[in-house]
Amino acid sequence: TVATFQLFVGWLFVFCPLWLLGWRRFPRASRGVVLRNLLPQGVCHFLTHIGAMIALQAGAVSFTYTVKAAEPVTTAILSALFLSQFYSWPSVIALIPIVGGVIGASLGAQGVDSLGFSWTSFLGASASNLGSSSRTIYLKLLREEVRRP
């Protein structure tokens, strides 16, 4: 599939020239650092990528990007739930034209009929949103932890 090819090519560009030719040192990290800091980010990124690929395979591209346009809203909700950080009203109101603009651009001249609703596509795009937003929230938590003495 395209997703597998993308991951393989990315791995080739990092592993082969950078590490094998010695252009960069191979990163060293303890098991605890990898499990605590890198693994959750990797899982979130995996969910983002795989969710988007499932959504694109199962439904129309315009529908996938319409659902994915809600990612800033998902991030705002997760930020409120897990970080107790609430966006200001101007920021919340600014999300409306952002999400609406992507929805409008996705619809294009074909209108609502071009969306081609599919539950599999909806769930895949929603999983992608959740993965991306979760990664953002987790990185904020890590950043706050590093700042604390």
Side-chain angles (χ1 to χ4, degrees), residues 13-28:
F13 277 108
V14 171
F15 181 74
C16 291
L18 297 180
W19 296 336
L20 287 180
L21 298 174
W23 293 346
R24 282 192 92 130
R25 286 184 332 145
F26 189 80
R28 302 275 183 226

Side-chain angles (χ1 to χ4, degrees), residues 44-55 64 67-68 71 74 121-135:
C44 290
H45 190 72
F46 174 80
L47 184 61
T48 300
H49 188 72
I50 294 302
M53 291 297 110
I54 290 169
T64 298
V67 175
K68 285 190 60 59
E71 185 178 315
T74 307
S121 182
F122 176 76
L123 293 173
S126 296
S128 180
N129 283 352
L130 184 63
S132 184
S133 296
S134 297
R135 186 176 64 220

Side-chain angles (χ1 to χ4, degrees), residues 72-92:
V73 176
T74 307
T75 302
I77 292 168
L78 290 180
S79 181
L81 290 175
F82 293 106
L83 301 176
S84 298
Q85 294 177 350
F86 298 91
Y87 286 93
S88 66
W89 280 108
S91 296
V92 172

Side-chain angles (χ1 to χ4, degrees), residues 60 62-63 66 103-116:
S62 58
F63 177 72
T66 299
I103 291 171
S106 297
L107 290 175
Q110 290 82 22
V112 177
D113 294 336
S114 71
L115 286 180

